[in-house]
Structure formats: C-alpha cells, structure tokens
Amino acid sequence: MKFLVVLFSLCLVVLISADCPHKRSGLTKWSEWSGRPKAVAADVNIPANSKILLDVSPDFPMNQLKVSGELIFDDTPLSISFERMYAIDGGHIWIGSEDCRVKSQINITLLGQRQPTFDPDGAGTKCIGCFVNSQIDIHGEDRNPTWTQLDGTVLKGATDIVLEDDVDWRVGETIIIATTDFEDFNEDPNYPPSQSEKRVILARPNSKTVTVDPLNYMHWGDFWEGGKHNEKIDIRAEVGLLTRNIVIKGDISGTAGDDHWGGHVMVHEGGELRIEGVELFFVGQKDQLGRYPIPVSYTHLTLPTKRIV
C-alpha cells in the first residue's frame, strides 16, 4: 500500500510539471545559451528543435526574435523588449499554458517608430506575430472577478467603494469606475466628456471594499424602479480591474506617441494564438490597415486553420 501511495505521488508530480512548460525537462536556459544577444538591436534566432527557457531578463533590447523552435518564459519576474518577436515554421512561444497560468510579473515592450514601408513577413514593426503552423500561448494570472458593480451609490469625494462581489484585487492595482451620467454628444466644452474614473487601490478594508483617492464624480450604485409596469432596471456603475501581471505595451518614446504608433499582436493564416489574463497598453497603429491591437489575417481563411482564443 505504501508503494502504491508513493507511486501515485510521483505520477502526480510528473503530470503537474508536464502541464507547466517552464518545468519541462530538456530546456536550455537563456542565461546559459550561446545564441542570446550580446549587443543592442541584435537579430536572434531560436532554431527548430531548440527549447530555450527565458529564465532571466535579456541584457539588451532586440531588433528581431525569431522562434522556429520553442521559447518558454519562466514563471519569474521578467522584462523583455524588441521590435518584432514571432513564431514561424512550426515555432511555439509559451508564456504559461491553459493549465499552468503564469503568476509572476512579465513586461513585454514593443519598440519602433512609424515605418509604413517596412513590412517584413507581413507583420510590420512593433509586433508579436504568429505565422503558419506556429503557436503562441500567453496565459496570465486568473483574476476573480475581472469586473463587478457598485453595491450602493458613491458620491463625489468618496474614498471607499463598496462592491457587489468579493474580489481578489490588491493594493497598488488600477481599477476603473464607469460613468453613470449622460454623455454630452454635442461636445459642450463646459460639460465633462466622460465621468469614468481610473484609480489606484490604496487599501482593502474587506473583501468587498476598496479605498482610493477621492472621486471627482458621483457614480450611481442602485436599481431604478418605476414606469408603467413597475420595471426594475440595473443602472449600477461597473467597476473593472485594469491591472494584469502580463503587460504587452508599445514604447511611446521618440515620435511614436505623437504618431499613435503602438504595438500589435498578429495572427496569420494557419497560426494559433491563445491569450488570457493580459494587459495591452499603447497598441494599434493609426492609419495602417490591419494594425489593430490583435489583428487577424483572414486571407484564404479556412477554419479551423487559424485559431484565436
């Protein structure tokens, strides 16, 4: 009986490790890999049949990171920056998996200025790309819930916000409280264009309350009842968690901010992208067709040759 218990325990450990890409055997650590960049703006290639574990933040920003093998992010705080990173020719980029979501802080910065005539492999600049027969998995921490509603109206100047649900939101994270006022579609300069407010959580008095800096506006937190049929309409403000532990952001230095030249995550025909628990910041490229935050190329699309989850 003791032998069976021990055997079962060993099998369980093996199964758990197999579900976590960064715990698999046979990985080469980035910190020990001879192909890692040695200077700024390098082109880095992870060839087929190679399995590289990104166990440390790269020392230099890269021009291009081409993955034909496997690039696996460790579940440890990491920061990486590049102009383009893409899985191609059967490559696979792993940042967690559906069964093993990453809990550490991962910051990915997409570099580059507006270059409308430069379009390598149809992905452009400032891009994470997934090409034919290739896959990208990006799975951030599971947050519960990602949004809820007010449990009671909060007035201008309030600092404690009572929520309908228990939340796992933490001090230092950013939330948004939706407007419950009418928007002025005539753009009256004396009328605020939006009363939605972003705030950083300063304290958590209990599981349903967050403390923030004083609010600038009132936000309705109750039902409206009335009308001919005594309707009950839910018009409570939504409150959402904006912070995620995986952040994909476009660099806004140089002219990129003024040009509205952000990053994007692209899926080409025949590629598969599974993404969840991710915060996208400064993404999309103005006046550039097909450069949305997560554009999907539908050229000659025959399902299920392309998959985005």
Side-chain angles (χ1 to χ4, degrees):
M1 181 64 69
K2 290 183 179 180
F3 171 78
L4 291 176
V5 171
V6 171
L7 181 61
F8 175 78
S9 299
L10 289 173
C11 291
L12 182 61
V13 170
V14 171
L15 288 173
I16 292 174
S17 297
D19 290 336
C20 294
H22 62 280
K23 294 183 179 180
R24 294 171 183 167
S25 61
L27 305 181
T28 299
K29 292 183 178 180
W30 179 280
S31 58
E32 301 171 355
W33 179 48
S34 60
R36 69 185 186 278
K38 307 300 192 301
V40 174
D43 287 341
V44 178
N45 179 40
I46 297 179
N49 300 318
S50 297
K51 299 180 180 180
I52 306 301
L53 175 68
L54 188 66
D55 60 322
V56 296
S57 299
D59 295 325
F60 304 100
M62 288 165 277
N63 175 42
Q64 176 174 284
L65 179 52
K66 178 181 176 182
V67 181
S68 300
E70 294 185 59
L71 175 63
I72 302 158
F73 284 60
D74 203 352
D75 194 352
T76 190
L78 294 169
S79 294
I80 184 171
S81 56
F82 47 78
E83 285 201 8
R84 297 177 302 283
M85 176 178 74
Y86 52 93
I88 194 168
D89 299 329
H92 200 147
I93 298 170
W94 298 91
I95 308 178
S97 68
E98 292 179 277
D99 297 319
C100 183
R101 298 175 67 163
V102 168
K103 296 182 179 180
S104 300
Q105 185 67 39
I106 308 290
N107 294 319
I108 300 173
T109 303
L110 306 179
L111 306 172
Q113 309 299 316
R114 178 181 288 274
Q115 300 181 50
T117 60
F118 183 62
D119 195 25
D121 298 304
T125 60
K126 236 169 185 173
C127 177
I128 297 175
C130 186
F131 292 86
V132 61
N133 297 326
S134 301
Q135 301 179 62
I136 296 179
D137 277 271
I138 307 177
H139 304 272
E141 185 181 11
D142 187 17
R143 305 305 303 274
N144 183 39
T146 56
W147 71 278
T148 181
Q149 291 175 285
L150 292 179
D151 187 18
T153 298
V154 290
L155 302 177
K156 176 181 178 180
T159 57
D160 281 348
I161 300 173
V162 181
L163 307 171
E164 178 186 27
D165 300 302
D166 294 315
V167 297
D168 65 1
W169 306 349
R170 303 167 185 137
V171 171
E173 295 184 325
T174 301
I175 61 172
I176 188 164
I177 307 100
T179 180
T180 52
D181 201 355
F182 293 104
E183 304 295 331
D184 186 355
F185 296 104
N186 295 321
E187 298 184 358
D188 183 347
N190 297 315
Y191 193 91
S194 173
Q195 294 186 15
S196 296
E197 303 188 66
K198 286 202 300 184
R199 288 292 186 273
V200 174
I201 298 174
L202 303 177
R204 289 298 319 275
N206 57 60
S207 62
K208 290 187 176 182
T209 305
V210 295
T211 301
V212 299
D213 283 332
L215 297 175
N216 295 328
Y217 306 104
M218 182 272 288
H219 297 267
W220 188 258
D222 207 341
F223 290 81
W224 178 86
E225 297 186 51
K228 181 178 179 180
H229 302 290
N230 195 30
E231 296 94 346
K232 185 175 182 180
I233 302 174
D234 188 352
I235 56 174
R236 297 172 295 170
E238 298 85 0
V239 184
L241 176 68
L242 298 180
T243 299
R244 298 293 186 274
N245 68 302
I246 298 178
V247 180
I248 299 173
K249 62 179 180 180
D251 178 46
I252 60 174
S253 64
T255 62
D258 293 336
D259 287 345
H260 303 283
W261 194 254
H264 65 286
V265 180
M266 172 171 281
V267 191
H268 272 255
E269 182 179 1
E272 292 190 11
L273 169 67
R274 291 169 288 272
I275 183 170
E276 58 186 334
V278 177
E279 178 182 343
L280 301 173
F281 177 77
F282 193 63
V283 288
Q285 297 176 350
K286 183 180 179 182
D287 299 328
Q288 192 76 3
L289 183 63
R291 297 293 182 263
Y292 322 112
I294 306 183
V296 180
S297 173
Y298 287 98
T299 306
H300 307 300
L301 173 61
T302 303
L303 293 174
T305 59
K306 175 172 35 233
R307 191 176 159 212
I308 179 169
V309 179

